[in-house]
Structures are given as C-alpha cells and as structure tokens.
Amino acid sequence: MTDIAPIHSLVAQVMGDLGSPDLLLPPGADPHDFALRPSDADKLANSDLIIWVGPELTPWLEDPLNALAPTADKTALTESVLWTPIREGDTEDGAIDPHGWLAPFVARNWAIEIGMALSAADPANESTYMANANAAAEALGQLNVEISDKLAPYSEAGFIMPHDGYRYFEDFHDLSKAGVIADMHAHDPGPSHMGELRDLVLSGDVTCVFSDAEIGENWVSVLIDGTDVQTAMIDGTGANLTPGPDLYPELIRRMADTFTDCVTPAS
Ligand SMILES: [Zn+2]
C-alpha cells in the first residue's frame, strides 16, 4: 500500500514485474486534508507493507495506520537516513518539510529506501528489488539533470506559489519565489498576508501566481484581479495522470512545463 500517486509510481518502478502496489489517495487529492472512505480502511487492513511519505504530510493517516494495519510493516520515507530534509525555518530542530518527491534528486534516494523496504518484507526477491531500485535511481538522476537544465534560465523569474510545499522543486533547481499564499500544511491564508501578496502582485515583480489542488483558483483570482499577471495550476500529486511507473516522470516534466509557461510573460 502506498499513500499518494507519486510514491505509488516510485514503488511500482521498484516492484517491476513482481507485482503492483495499491494506492490510497486518488491522483490529485489534497494529501494534507483527506477523509478515509470505508473501502480505504479495507485496503489498509489487507496490507502487508505500507510505504508512505510520513505523518508530516498526512497527519490524519497516522492513527488509522496503527489501528487498521497493526501488524503491517511500515516505511515512512521522511524517516529515511538516505536523505536530508528541508526544515521549517531551515534550523535543525525545525519541522520536516515532507514534500521531498518534488525533487527527482530526493526521489532517487527514496527509490533506494523503497527497494530496502520491499526487500525486508519479501527477502526472497531482494536481488530483483534492489536491481530495479538502482535502475530507477539511475533514471531519476537523469531526470534531475534534464529538469535542472530546463529550469536553469528561470532563476530570476518572479512568481508566487500556492502553498509552501514546493521548496524541493524550487531549491534543487535554483528557483526563488517572491511569495507563497499558504503555509507548508496548506492552511488558508489570513487577510493581512493576502494584502501583502496583493501589493507584491501590483509591484510588477511577479509574472505568475500558481494555484494547486490545496489552494484553489479563488485565492489566486483575488490576487491577480485587474492585472496581466498570469496563473496556472501546478500539480505535485498527479491530477489527471494514470497511476503507474510512468506517472512520476510525467508529473515532474509537466510541473516544469507549467512553471516555464506561466512565468514567461505573454508576448
Ligand atoms: Zn503540500
């Protein structure tokens, strides 16, 4: 069992022909705020191994995991020793930013962690899992170079993000946002913060304000009303993509395309 579509995709890559993982949240669902359905509870109860990002992303999932799948093996990727998380306030004791899959560089390390989790749960197939994990990591390394090259000309672009869940995408590719509508957990913004962002939009230093599944277009409309600032929905969870091994690279390439289109002023 996996939590969100991008992680499902990485696990599918590592399982290869040995099987296919289950997926809890539909592609494009808001992971910060989701209500489990009875069928989801059944899926959890039938799981032997659960690979999820971790309680920092889906705090509502922690109790059901323990209650419904008490004996299943569980791997929270935020607990992996193979990565260095970005933290709130950039201090060592700050809260972990869980959106690590949004940088292929991090996904590469998580693929190895996933290989180790599958091998521990099913030792007979360890060599296949680890071979697949290494192949996935290699491809993710190439994807990282491709995306870094594509985004390199945009390091000066002025843009506003919908919620503070894209720092891996931004930081690993040298992008620097002018502002962000909502915090890391996608809580709705307050009026004074919206006023500051509106001033930023009116200053002319911003070419695009993004929305996402967590922070919808209504917030953005208020900010860009009456200006020629552009908007687009950025998708970090795989909305409208088909779950499976190919979803992850498609998601990342689509994010990069959405980004470059929206920050480029209309001619
Ligand atoms: Zn988020």
Side-chain angles (χ1 to χ4, degrees):
M1 167 68 75
T2 60
D3 53 355
I4 57 173
I7 303 306
H8 174 268
S9 179
L10 297 175
V11 174
Q13 289 178 25
V14 176
M15 290 184 79
D17 298 333
L18 289 174
S20 43
D22 235 323
L23 171 62
L24 195 62
L25 272 74
D30 174 3
H32 298 283
D33 184 18
F34 183 78
L36 277 183
R37 301 156 296 186
S39 60
D40 298 327
D42 292 345
K43 280 192 202 169
L44 282 173
N46 292 323
S47 299
D48 300 309
L49 169 63
I50 295 160
I51 299 177
W52 62 314
V53 173
E56 299 89 350
L57 183 71
T58 52
W60 50 269
L61 185 54
E62 192 164 29
D63 286 344
L65 275 192
N66 293 323
L68 296 166
T71 59
D73 292 332
K74 300 175 191 76
T75 294
L77 294 167
T78 50
E79 286 171 11
S80 171
V81 296
L82 300 177
W83 82 312
T84 306
I86 292 174
R87 289 174 184 273
E88 213 161 31
D90 294 317
T91 59
E92 233 169 80
D93 53 357
I96 287 178
D97 179 343
H99 302 82
W101 72 91
L102 295 176
F105 186 88
V106 171
R108 181 169 152 254
N109 291 352
W110 283 7
I112 301 296
E113 186 73 37
I114 289 166
M116 287 162 39
L118 287 162
S119 297
D122 177 19
N125 288 307
E126 178 175 1
S127 61
T128 304
Y129 291 128
M130 291 318 293
N132 291 348
N134 285 318
E138 170 90 32
L140 290 163
Q142 287 166 9
L143 181 64
N144 179 52
V145 172
E146 175 193 323
I147 297 301
S148 294
D149 287 351
K150 183 178 169 75
L151 295 175
Y154 298 91
S155 59
E156 304 293 319
F159 60 95
I160 292 176
M161 280 307 205
H163 85 287
D164 206 5
Y166 301 89
R167 288 179 64 192
Y168 295 88
F169 183 76
E170 295 155 26
D171 293 8
F172 278 83
H173 305 117
D174 282 330
L175 306 173
S176 116
K177 63 181 173 287
V180 62
I181 299 175
D183 68 4
M184 191 165 86
H185 310 287
H187 297 128
D188 285 349
S192 70
H193 182 59
M194 286 295 284
E196 286 165 21
L197 291 176
R198 174 70 179 169
D199 290 344
L200 195 56
V201 166
L202 294 175
S203 75
D205 293 338
V206 167
T207 49
C208 175
V209 180
F210 291 99
S211 64
D212 64 9
E214 294 82 350
I215 293 296
E217 289 159 354
N218 290 350
W219 293 103
V220 176
S221 310
V222 171
L223 292 178
I224 65 174
D225 184 44
T227 72
D228 57 3
V229 170
Q230 306 182 110
T231 184
M233 183 169 270
I234 199 153
D235 168 38
T237 53
N240 305 316
L241 294 178
T242 306
D246 298 333
L247 178 140
Y248 183 80
E250 255 182 89
L251 168 84
I252 295 294
R253 289 192 177 107
R254 208 172 59 163
M255 275 184 74
D257 285 343
T258 302
F259 181 84
T260 57
D261 284 353
C262 193
V263 299
T264 304
S267 49

